[in-house]
Amino acid sequence: MTHAALNTRFTQRFQLSTPIALAPMALATGGALAAACAQAGALGLVGGGYGDLAWTQREYMLAQELLKNDTASHARLGCGFITWKLDENAEALDWVLTQKPCAIMLSFGDPRPYAARIAEAGVQLICQVQRLEQVAQAIEAGAAVIVAQGGEAGGHGANAREGRSTFTLVPEIADYLATHSPNTLLLAAGGVADGRGLAAALMLGADGALVGSRLWATTESLAATGAKTQATHTSGDGTARSEVFDILRRKNWPAPYDFRAIRNDLHRALENDIASLKANPDTARTAYDAGVKAGDFTRAHATVGEGVGLIRDIPTAETLIRKITDQAGSLLPSR
């Protein structure tokens, strides 16, 4: 451990060299990115997302292959899933559990129906929440780690009415855990894109940070090259949280969740009349589908959060994690 201040309960429990976890971003966090993060000393979570068995098997096995001669890094490999999709079909979760991951992360739904099978497999459970009122349910499920996701985060999260800011949600949950479940660890998520964000997360009471958008913009990420390039030219003013891209992608997400991405030309054309889009989506979907096919990100979406303004290049995951870790270490007092 290079920086004493970064030797947290999270690094100790998962044998990490930095208190960073890779967000298991659906269709972006594949095996190469998860493996690279694990090799860099972070927790590498494959993005099992919607629970597609073939995709999850392929990417998880790729990560295992890349880590086959690195026992320490292999022990930092896990997977994440969208909980409400598991309610429809949990076969991908069940398969991953046979591979002995170090952790399973569940987001967006009640984790309790899956807690027993995860515990029986000897796997640590990570639960992502967006509000304080969800924490008790995660503790009941036996969560070893809770991720406090602020509304700044890219991709799916709580909508504007239900969501919270990372800056206030993290310390409130930290205080709650200190009283009600002191052995449960806490990660901050939403807007953490450099060492300043990681240092701030630790100062707010978290044991580490879950990093999504910034690691999305790395060479190993499966996100489209055009989307990554667009992100490097977008400021933090340039994202929006809405239902638009879920409607265009035919994703039937339940309340209170919606989706943050770059607010491109197509989004701007649709965002002021969501009711009409829901009622008559075909024309807009045709435009979106054509944009995806053409790699045109004035129509296709780029999944990043408000931290996009801190994305100025597309490095390797190892380079990025080292940079974030070194910057955080330089800012935090030794202890």
Side-chain angles (χ1 to χ4, degrees), residues 65-305:
E65 176 65 20
L66 292 170
L67 299 175
K68 66 180 181 180
N69 296 319
D70 187 344
T71 302
S73 296
H74 192 280
R76 302 178 187 126
L77 182 63
C79 195
F81 293 98
I82 295 167
T83 311
W84 66 263
K85 285 299 291 185
L86 292 181
D87 295 343
E88 299 173 6
N89 186 348
E91 63 178 354
L93 168 63
D94 291 334
W95 179 84
V96 170
L97 290 176
T98 69
Q99 305 303 300
K100 303 186 185 304
C102 71
I104 291 291
M105 179 171 160
L106 299 181
S107 307
F108 315 117
D110 185 352
R112 293 175 295 181
Y114 308 98
R117 70 181 83 176
I118 292 169
E120 288 167 4
V123 177
Q124 299 201 66
L125 173 61
I126 302 173
C127 292
Q128 182 165 255
V129 303
Q130 293 77 34
R131 293 174 62 82
L132 177 66
E133 64 191 17
Q134 298 168 319
V135 174
Q137 185 181 83
I139 293 171
E140 183 181 342
V145 182
I146 287 174
V147 176
Q149 184 198 38
E152 301 94 322
H156 286 101
N159 61 32
R161 185 177 62 254
E162 299 292 336
R164 296 280 307 277
S165 163
T166 307
F167 198 84
T168 59
L169 181 62
V170 171
E172 190 172 359
I173 292 181
D175 289 348
Y176 181 93
L177 292 177
T179 300
H180 298 280
S181 187
N183 292 325
T184 302
L185 307 187
L186 177 63
L187 300 182
V192 180
D194 61 13
R196 293 172 295 181
L198 177 58
L202 298 180
M203 292 300 292
L204 290 172
D207 298 288
L210 185 85
V211 178
S213 296
R214 191 61 190 93
L215 284 165
W216 172 95
T218 55
T219 58
E220 296 92 345
S221 165
L222 294 177
T225 299
K228 297 178 193 178
T229 300
Q230 185 185 44
T232 65
H233 300 294
T234 303
S235 79
D237 298 342
T239 72
R241 178 170 292 287
S242 77
E243 299 175 73
V244 168
F245 286 121
D246 279 340
I247 296 168
L248 298 182
R249 297 184 303 154
R250 305 159 180 87
K251 303 292 188 185
N252 297 315
W253 271 73
Y257 306 112
D258 59 11
F259 188 77
R260 184 179 293 282
I262 290 177
R263 191 181 178 203
N264 62 11
D265 292 348
L266 184 59
H267 190 288
R268 289 177 185 274
L270 301 169
E271 63 191 26
N272 291 321
D273 195 352
I274 300 295
S276 293
L277 176 61
K278 287 181 175 180
N280 298 287
D282 292 348
T283 299
R285 283 175 175 169
T286 298
Y288 172 81
D289 292 344
V292 172
K293 185 176 181 179
D296 174 6
F297 288 92
T298 66
R299 294 176 288 172
H301 75 282
T303 311
V304 285

Side-chain angles (χ1 to χ4, degrees), residues 28-68:
T29 303
L33 181 54
C37 289
Q39 288 173 322
L43 183 64
L45 299 172
V46 174
Y50 291 89
D52 181 285
L53 179 60
W55 191 96
T56 303
Q57 287 177 323
R58 182 183 72 243
E59 296 300 329
Y60 198 89
M61 288 192 296
L62 172 60
Q64 290 179 314
E65 176 65 20
L66 292 170
L67 299 175
K68 66 180 181 180

